[in-house]
mmCIF file of all heavy atoms in Angstrom:
data_model
loop_
_atom_site.group_PDB
_atom_site.id
_atom_site.type_symbol
_atom_site.label_atom_id
_atom_site.label_comp_id
_atom_site.label_asym_id
_atom_site.label_seq_id
_atom_site.Cartn_x
_atom_site.Cartn_y
_atom_site.Cartn_z
ATOM 1 N N ASP A 11 23.387 -16.967 -31.753
ATOM 2 C CA ASP A 11 23.770 -16.191 -32.932
ATOM 3 C C ASP A 11 23.071 -14.831 -32.883
ATOM 4 O O ASP A 11 21.880 -14.725 -33.156
ATOM 5 C CB ASP A 11 23.370 -16.941 -34.207
ATOM 6 C CG ASP A 11 23.860 -16.251 -35.477
ATOM 7 O OD1 ASP A 11 24.345 -15.101 -35.378
ATOM 8 O OD2 ASP A 11 23.736 -16.845 -36.562
ATOM 9 N N HIS A 12 23.828 -13.802 -32.542
ATOM 10 C CA HIS A 12 23.220 -12.481 -32.370
ATOM 11 C C HIS A 12 22.882 -11.803 -33.692
ATOM 12 O O HIS A 12 22.312 -10.711 -33.694
ATOM 13 C CB HIS A 12 24.145 -11.596 -31.528
ATOM 14 C CG HIS A 12 24.284 -12.080 -30.115
ATOM 15 N ND1 HIS A 12 23.268 -12.010 -29.198
ATOM 16 C CD2 HIS A 12 25.322 -12.691 -29.482
ATOM 17 C CE1 HIS A 12 23.662 -12.525 -28.049
ATOM 18 N NE2 HIS A 12 24.901 -12.955 -28.196
ATOM 19 N N ARG A 13 23.212 -12.449 -34.791
ATOM 20 C CA ARG A 13 22.768 -11.926 -36.086
ATOM 21 C C ARG A 13 21.281 -12.212 -36.281
ATOM 22 O O ARG A 13 20.617 -11.558 -37.092
ATOM 23 C CB ARG A 13 23.582 -12.562 -37.219
ATOM 24 C CG ARG A 13 25.058 -12.149 -37.227
ATOM 25 C CD ARG A 13 25.828 -12.944 -38.259
ATOM 26 N NE ARG A 13 25.797 -14.377 -37.975
ATOM 27 C CZ ARG A 13 26.368 -15.301 -38.736
ATOM 28 N NH1 ARG A 13 27.000 -14.934 -39.844
ATOM 29 N NH2 ARG A 13 26.301 -16.576 -38.402
ATOM 30 N N VAL A 14 20.787 -13.180 -35.523
ATOM 31 C CA VAL A 14 19.351 -13.479 -35.528
ATOM 32 C C VAL A 14 18.704 -12.575 -34.493
ATOM 33 O O VAL A 14 18.884 -12.750 -33.295
ATOM 34 C CB VAL A 14 19.085 -14.956 -35.185
ATOM 35 C CG1 VAL A 14 17.583 -15.219 -35.122
ATOM 36 C CG2 VAL A 14 19.747 -15.869 -36.203
ATOM 37 N N LEU A 15 17.972 -11.572 -34.945
ATOM 38 C CA LEU A 15 17.404 -10.570 -34.060
ATOM 39 C C LEU A 15 16.179 -11.085 -33.317
ATOM 40 O O LEU A 15 15.413 -11.898 -33.849
ATOM 41 C CB LEU A 15 17.036 -9.318 -34.860
ATOM 42 C CG LEU A 15 18.164 -8.659 -35.663
ATOM 43 C CD1 LEU A 15 17.621 -7.453 -36.429
ATOM 44 C CD2 LEU A 15 19.310 -8.241 -34.743
ATOM 45 N N ASP A 16 15.989 -10.567 -32.106
ATOM 46 C CA ASP A 16 14.798 -10.929 -31.330
ATOM 47 C C ASP A 16 13.530 -10.598 -32.106
ATOM 48 O O ASP A 16 12.557 -11.356 -32.071
ATOM 49 C CB ASP A 16 14.789 -10.170 -30.000
ATOM 50 C CG ASP A 16 15.800 -10.720 -29.009
ATOM 51 O OD1 ASP A 16 16.355 -11.805 -29.263
ATOM 52 O OD2 ASP A 16 16.015 -10.076 -27.965
ATOM 53 N N PHE A 17 13.542 -9.468 -32.770
ATOM 54 C CA PHE A 17 12.362 -9.037 -33.518
ATOM 55 C C PHE A 17 11.968 -10.068 -34.576
ATOM 56 O O PHE A 17 10.791 -10.356 -34.776
ATOM 57 C CB PHE A 17 12.611 -7.680 -34.184
ATOM 58 C CG PHE A 17 12.832 -6.561 -33.207
ATOM 59 C CD1 PHE A 17 13.645 -5.490 -33.535
ATOM 60 C CD2 PHE A 17 12.231 -6.575 -31.956
ATOM 61 C CE1 PHE A 17 13.848 -4.452 -32.633
ATOM 62 C CE2 PHE A 17 12.422 -5.546 -31.047
ATOM 63 C CZ PHE A 17 13.241 -4.471 -31.387
ATOM 64 N N ASP A 18 12.971 -10.622 -35.251
ATOM 65 C CA ASP A 18 12.688 -11.628 -36.280
ATOM 66 C C ASP A 18 12.139 -12.911 -35.657
ATOM 67 O O ASP A 18 11.247 -13.553 -36.212
ATOM 68 C CB ASP A 18 13.965 -11.939 -37.079
ATOM 69 C CG ASP A 18 14.411 -10.756 -37.917
ATOM 70 O OD1 ASP A 18 13.550 -9.932 -38.284
ATOM 71 O OD2 ASP A 18 15.619 -10.649 -38.213
ATOM 72 N N VAL A 19 12.694 -13.275 -34.503
ATOM 73 C CA VAL A 19 12.211 -14.471 -33.808
ATOM 74 C C VAL A 19 10.762 -14.274 -33.377
ATOM 75 O O VAL A 19 9.923 -15.162 -33.534
ATOM 76 C CB VAL A 19 13.083 -14.776 -32.572
ATOM 77 C CG1 VAL A 19 12.516 -15.981 -31.808
ATOM 78 C CG2 VAL A 19 14.517 -15.059 -32.993
ATOM 79 N N ILE A 20 10.456 -13.097 -32.856
ATOM 80 C CA ILE A 20 9.101 -12.797 -32.402
ATOM 81 C C ILE A 20 8.104 -12.888 -33.553
ATOM 82 O O ILE A 20 7.006 -13.434 -33.401
ATOM 83 C CB ILE A 20 9.056 -11.397 -31.749
ATOM 84 C CG1 ILE A 20 9.822 -11.421 -30.427
ATOM 85 C CG2 ILE A 20 7.612 -10.944 -31.519
ATOM 86 C CD1 ILE A 20 10.038 -10.067 -29.819
ATOM 87 N N LYS A 21 8.488 -12.372 -34.701
ATOM 88 C CA LYS A 21 7.614 -12.455 -35.872
ATOM 89 C C LYS A 21 7.324 -13.903 -36.226
ATOM 90 O O LYS A 21 6.187 -14.264 -36.571
ATOM 91 C CB LYS A 21 8.264 -11.740 -37.058
ATOM 92 C CG LYS A 21 8.309 -10.224 -36.929
ATOM 93 C CD LYS A 21 9.005 -9.601 -38.124
ATOM 94 C CE LYS A 21 9.108 -8.085 -37.991
ATOM 95 N NZ LYS A 21 9.840 -7.484 -39.133
ATOM 96 N N LYS A 22 8.350 -14.738 -36.144
ATOM 97 C CA LYS A 22 8.182 -16.158 -36.453
ATOM 98 C C LYS A 22 7.236 -16.831 -35.453
ATOM 99 O O LYS A 22 6.375 -17.633 -35.813
ATOM 100 C CB LYS A 22 9.542 -16.859 -36.433
ATOM 101 C CG LYS A 22 10.463 -16.513 -37.585
ATOM 102 C CD LYS A 22 10.064 -17.256 -38.847
ATOM 103 C CE LYS A 22 11.107 -17.123 -39.927
ATOM 104 N NZ LYS A 22 10.752 -17.878 -41.156
ATOM 105 N N VAL A 23 7.441 -16.499 -34.172
ATOM 106 C CA VAL A 23 6.598 -17.088 -33.129
ATOM 107 C C VAL A 23 5.148 -16.673 -33.330
ATOM 108 O O VAL A 23 4.226 -17.498 -33.252
ATOM 109 C CB VAL A 23 7.083 -16.649 -31.734
ATOM 110 C CG1 VAL A 23 6.108 -17.125 -30.652
ATOM 111 C CG2 VAL A 23 8.479 -17.203 -31.448
ATOM 112 N N LEU A 24 4.933 -15.399 -33.602
ATOM 113 C CA LEU A 24 3.577 -14.889 -33.796
ATOM 114 C C LEU A 24 2.923 -15.454 -35.053
ATOM 115 O O LEU A 24 1.693 -15.516 -35.146
ATOM 116 C CB LEU A 24 3.592 -13.356 -33.865
ATOM 117 C CG LEU A 24 3.920 -12.634 -32.546
ATOM 118 C CD1 LEU A 24 4.022 -11.135 -32.774
ATOM 119 C CD2 LEU A 24 2.868 -12.940 -31.489
ATOM 120 N N SER A 25 3.754 -15.878 -35.995
ATOM 121 C CA SER A 25 3.200 -16.445 -37.226
ATOM 122 C C SER A 25 2.881 -17.932 -37.078
ATOM 123 O O SER A 25 2.396 -18.558 -38.028
ATOM 124 C CB SER A 25 4.181 -16.243 -38.384
ATOM 125 O OG SER A 25 5.347 -17.023 -38.210
ATOM 126 N N GLY A 26 3.177 -18.472 -35.892
ATOM 127 C CA GLY A 26 2.808 -19.862 -35.648
ATOM 128 C C GLY A 26 3.943 -20.797 -35.274
ATOM 129 O O GLY A 26 3.703 -21.934 -34.877
ATOM 130 N N GLU A 27 5.192 -20.334 -35.385
ATOM 131 C CA GLU A 27 6.327 -21.185 -35.049
ATOM 132 C C GLU A 27 6.620 -21.068 -33.550
ATOM 133 O O GLU A 27 7.642 -20.514 -33.137
ATOM 134 C CB GLU A 27 7.540 -20.810 -35.898
ATOM 135 C CG GLU A 27 7.323 -21.037 -37.393
ATOM 136 C CD GLU A 27 8.575 -20.797 -38.210
ATOM 137 O OE1 GLU A 27 9.640 -21.342 -37.842
ATOM 138 O OE2 GLU A 27 8.508 -20.054 -39.205
ATOM 139 N N LYS A 28 5.728 -21.613 -32.758
ATOM 140 C CA LYS A 28 5.795 -21.491 -31.302
ATOM 141 C C LYS A 28 7.107 -22.004 -30.717
ATOM 142 O O LYS A 28 7.611 -21.466 -29.726
ATOM 143 C CB LYS A 28 4.615 -22.234 -30.680
ATOM 144 C CG LYS A 28 4.536 -22.117 -29.175
ATOM 145 C CD LYS A 28 3.254 -22.742 -28.637
ATOM 146 C CE LYS A 28 3.258 -24.247 -28.759
ATOM 147 N NZ LYS A 28 2.077 -24.858 -28.083
ATOM 148 N N GLY A 29 7.646 -23.036 -31.306
ATOM 149 C CA GLY A 29 8.867 -23.637 -30.783
ATOM 150 C C GLY A 29 10.040 -22.685 -30.703
ATOM 151 O O GLY A 29 10.944 -22.871 -29.882
ATOM 152 N N LEU A 30 10.039 -21.651 -31.555
ATOM 153 C CA LEU A 30 11.148 -20.700 -31.563
ATOM 154 C C LEU A 30 11.130 -19.778 -30.346
ATOM 155 O O LEU A 30 12.086 -19.036 -30.116
ATOM 156 C CB LEU A 30 11.121 -19.863 -32.854
ATOM 157 C CG LEU A 30 11.353 -20.653 -34.143
ATOM 158 C CD1 LEU A 30 11.332 -19.712 -35.341
ATOM 159 C CD2 LEU A 30 12.683 -21.399 -34.092
ATOM 160 N N TYR A 31 10.063 -19.832 -29.565
ATOM 161 C CA TYR A 31 10.022 -19.030 -28.338
ATOM 162 C C TYR A 31 11.161 -19.434 -27.411
ATOM 163 O O TYR A 31 11.618 -18.650 -26.579
ATOM 164 C CB TYR A 31 8.675 -19.227 -27.642
ATOM 165 C CG TYR A 31 8.419 -18.265 -26.493
ATOM 166 C CD1 TYR A 31 8.336 -16.890 -26.713
ATOM 167 C CD2 TYR A 31 8.238 -18.734 -25.198
ATOM 168 C CE1 TYR A 31 8.093 -16.015 -25.674
ATOM 169 C CE2 TYR A 31 7.983 -17.866 -24.151
ATOM 170 C CZ TYR A 31 7.916 -16.506 -24.393
ATOM 171 O OH TYR A 31 7.669 -15.640 -23.357
ATOM 172 N N GLU A 32 11.624 -20.658 -27.567
ATOM 173 C CA GLU A 32 12.745 -21.153 -26.770
ATOM 174 C C GLU A 32 13.981 -20.280 -26.957
ATOM 175 O O GLU A 32 14.783 -20.102 -26.033
ATOM 176 C CB GLU A 32 13.057 -22.604 -27.155
ATOM 177 C CG GLU A 32 14.190 -23.212 -26.354
ATOM 178 C CD GLU A 32 14.399 -24.683 -26.676
ATOM 179 O OE1 GLU A 32 13.420 -25.357 -27.070
ATOM 180 O OE2 GLU A 32 15.545 -25.154 -26.528
ATOM 181 N N ILE A 33 14.168 -19.743 -28.153
ATOM 182 C CA ILE A 33 15.321 -18.874 -28.421
ATOM 183 C C ILE A 33 15.290 -17.662 -27.495
ATOM 184 O O ILE A 33 16.298 -17.288 -26.880
ATOM 185 C CB ILE A 33 15.337 -18.412 -29.886
ATOM 186 C CG1 ILE A 33 15.610 -19.595 -30.807
ATOM 187 C CG2 ILE A 33 16.388 -17.313 -30.103
ATOM 188 C CD1 ILE A 33 15.576 -19.242 -32.287
ATOM 189 N N LEU A 34 14.129 -17.041 -27.386
ATOM 190 C CA LEU A 34 13.988 -15.843 -26.544
ATOM 191 C C LEU A 34 14.226 -16.192 -25.079
ATOM 192 O O LEU A 34 14.801 -15.396 -24.329
ATOM 193 C CB LEU A 34 12.594 -15.242 -26.728
ATOM 194 C CG LEU A 34 12.242 -14.801 -28.151
ATOM 195 C CD1 LEU A 34 10.789 -14.343 -28.211
ATOM 196 C CD2 LEU A 34 13.167 -13.678 -28.611
ATOM 197 N N MET A 35 13.788 -17.368 -24.678
ATOM 198 C CA MET A 35 13.975 -17.784 -23.295
ATOM 199 C C MET A 35 15.449 -18.017 -22.981
ATOM 200 O O MET A 35 15.965 -17.526 -21.976
ATOM 201 C CB MET A 35 13.179 -19.054 -23.024
ATOM 202 C CG MET A 35 11.675 -18.871 -23.079
ATOM 203 S SD MET A 35 10.810 -20.429 -22.759
ATOM 204 C CE MET A 35 11.373 -20.762 -21.093
ATOM 205 N N ARG A 36 16.119 -18.759 -23.830
ATOM 206 C CA ARG A 36 17.524 -19.073 -23.566
ATOM 207 C C ARG A 36 18.400 -17.825 -23.612
ATOM 208 O O ARG A 36 19.416 -17.745 -22.925
ATOM 209 C CB ARG A 36 18.027 -20.129 -24.548
ATOM 210 C CG ARG A 36 17.380 -21.494 -24.319
ATOM 211 C CD ARG A 36 18.070 -22.595 -25.073
ATOM 212 N NE ARG A 36 17.442 -23.888 -24.832
ATOM 213 C CZ ARG A 36 17.677 -24.667 -23.776
ATOM 214 N NH1 ARG A 36 18.532 -24.263 -22.854
ATOM 215 N NH2 ARG A 36 17.066 -25.825 -23.638
ATOM 216 N N ARG A 37 18.011 -16.849 -24.404
ATOM 217 C CA ARG A 37 18.770 -15.602 -24.459
ATOM 218 C C ARG A 37 18.592 -14.765 -23.201
ATOM 219 O O ARG A 37 19.452 -13.951 -22.866
ATOM 220 C CB ARG A 37 18.337 -14.781 -25.675
ATOM 221 C CG ARG A 37 18.906 -15.270 -26.981
ATOM 222 C CD ARG A 37 18.471 -14.381 -28.129
ATOM 223 N NE ARG A 37 19.154 -14.767 -29.354
ATOM 224 C CZ ARG A 37 18.937 -14.202 -30.534
ATOM 225 N NH1 ARG A 37 18.039 -13.233 -30.651
ATOM 226 N NH2 ARG A 37 19.609 -14.599 -31.598
ATOM 227 N N ASN A 38 17.477 -14.937 -22.527
ATOM 228 C CA ASN A 38 17.150 -14.053 -21.411
ATOM 229 C C ASN A 38 17.081 -14.739 -20.053
ATOM 230 O O ASN A 38 16.856 -14.069 -19.040
ATOM 231 C CB ASN A 38 15.812 -13.353 -21.690
ATOM 232 C CG ASN A 38 15.918 -12.349 -22.819
ATOM 233 O OD1 ASN A 38 16.415 -11.244 -22.640
ATOM 234 N ND2 ASN A 38 15.453 -12.736 -24.009
ATOM 235 N N ASN A 39 17.282 -16.034 -20.003
ATOM 236 C CA ASN A 39 17.171 -16.756 -18.736
ATOM 237 C C ASN A 39 18.107 -16.223 -17.662
ATOM 238 O O ASN A 39 17.701 -16.009 -16.517
ATOM 239 C CB ASN A 39 17.436 -18.251 -18.950
ATOM 240 C CG ASN A 39 16.154 -19.046 -19.122
ATOM 241 O OD1 ASN A 39 15.079 -18.608 -18.733
ATOM 242 N ND2 ASN A 39 16.265 -20.220 -19.713
ATOM 243 N N GLN A 40 19.381 -16.009 -18.011
ATOM 244 C CA GLN A 40 20.349 -15.548 -17.014
ATOM 245 C C GLN A 40 19.974 -14.168 -16.476
ATOM 246 O O GLN A 40 19.976 -13.920 -15.264
ATOM 247 C CB GLN A 40 21.759 -15.502 -17.626
ATOM 248 C CG GLN A 40 22.830 -15.004 -16.671
ATOM 249 C CD GLN A 40 23.158 -15.993 -15.584
ATOM 250 O OE1 GLN A 40 23.926 -16.930 -15.793
ATOM 251 N NE2 GLN A 40 22.582 -15.806 -14.405
ATOM 252 N N LYS A 41 19.639 -13.275 -17.383
ATOM 253 C CA LYS A 41 19.298 -11.904 -16.986
ATOM 254 C C LYS A 41 18.025 -11.883 -16.141
ATOM 255 O O LYS A 41 17.963 -11.206 -15.105
ATOM 256 C CB LYS A 41 19.130 -11.024 -18.224
ATOM 257 C CG LYS A 41 18.870 -9.563 -17.912
ATOM 258 C CD LYS A 41 18.776 -8.753 -19.204
ATOM 259 C CE LYS A 41 20.110 -8.719 -19.916
ATOM 260 N NZ LYS A 41 20.073 -7.846 -21.127
ATOM 261 N N LEU A 42 17.014 -12.619 -16.572
ATOM 262 C CA LEU A 42 15.753 -12.641 -15.832
ATOM 263 C C LEU A 42 15.958 -13.253 -14.449
ATOM 264 O O LEU A 42 15.406 -12.769 -13.458
ATOM 265 C CB LEU A 42 14.695 -13.434 -16.605
ATOM 266 C CG LEU A 42 13.306 -13.504 -15.959
ATOM 267 C CD1 LEU A 42 12.708 -12.111 -15.802
ATOM 268 C CD2 LEU A 42 12.375 -14.383 -16.802
ATOM 269 N N TYR A 43 16.763 -14.298 -14.380
ATOM 270 C CA TYR A 43 17.045 -14.929 -13.090
ATOM 271 C C TYR A 43 17.679 -13.932 -12.129
ATOM 272 O O TYR A 43 17.283 -13.832 -10.962
ATOM 273 C CB TYR A 43 17.973 -16.130 -13.282
ATOM 274 C CG TYR A 43 18.456 -16.724 -11.973
ATOM 275 C CD1 TYR A 43 17.628 -17.552 -11.214
ATOM 276 C CD2 TYR A 43 19.737 -16.448 -11.499
ATOM 277 C CE1 TYR A 43 18.072 -18.087 -10.010
ATOM 278 C CE2 TYR A 43 20.183 -16.977 -10.302
ATOM 279 C CZ TYR A 43 19.349 -17.789 -9.564
ATOM 280 O OH TYR A 43 19.785 -18.310 -8.364
ATOM 281 N N ARG A 44 18.670 -13.197 -12.615
ATOM 282 C CA ARG A 44 19.354 -12.238 -11.751
ATOM 283 C C ARG A 44 18.416 -11.141 -11.272
ATOM 284 O O ARG A 44 18.517 -10.673 -10.137
ATOM 285 C CB ARG A 44 20.552 -11.641 -12.486
ATOM 286 C CG ARG A 44 21.734 -12.609 -12.579
ATOM 287 C CD ARG A 44 22.825 -12.089 -13.483
ATOM 288 N NE ARG A 44 24.025 -12.926 -13.390
ATOM 289 C CZ ARG A 44 24.970 -12.968 -14.318
ATOM 290 N NH1 ARG A 44 24.859 -12.219 -15.398
ATOM 291 N NH2 ARG A 44 26.021 -13.742 -14.147
ATOM 292 N N VAL A 45 17.522 -10.713 -12.145
ATOM 293 C CA VAL A 45 16.567 -9.675 -11.757
ATOM 294 C C VAL A 45 15.608 -10.190 -10.682
ATOM 295 O O VAL A 45 15.407 -9.550 -9.646
ATOM 296 C CB VAL A 45 15.768 -9.173 -12.980
ATOM 297 C CG1 VAL A 45 14.614 -8.275 -12.535
ATOM 298 C CG2 VAL A 45 16.675 -8.406 -13.931
#
Side-chain angles (χ1 to χ4, degrees):
D11 186 350
H12 294 290
R13 293 173 299 179
V14 177
L15 303 178
D16 286 349
F17 296 150
D18 292 334
V19 177
I20 291 170
K21 289 178 182 178
K22 289 282 190 178
V23 173
L24 291 175
S25 68
E27 297 186 49
K28 183 173 70 173
L30 295 181
Y31 190 63
E32 181 175 332
I33 292 177
L34 300 175
M35 293 180 62
R36 292 192 180 278
R37 283 182 173 177
N38 291 282
N39 264 340
Q40 179 72 81
K41 184 178 294 184
L42 182 61
Y43 172 78
R44 285 171 171 159
V45 170

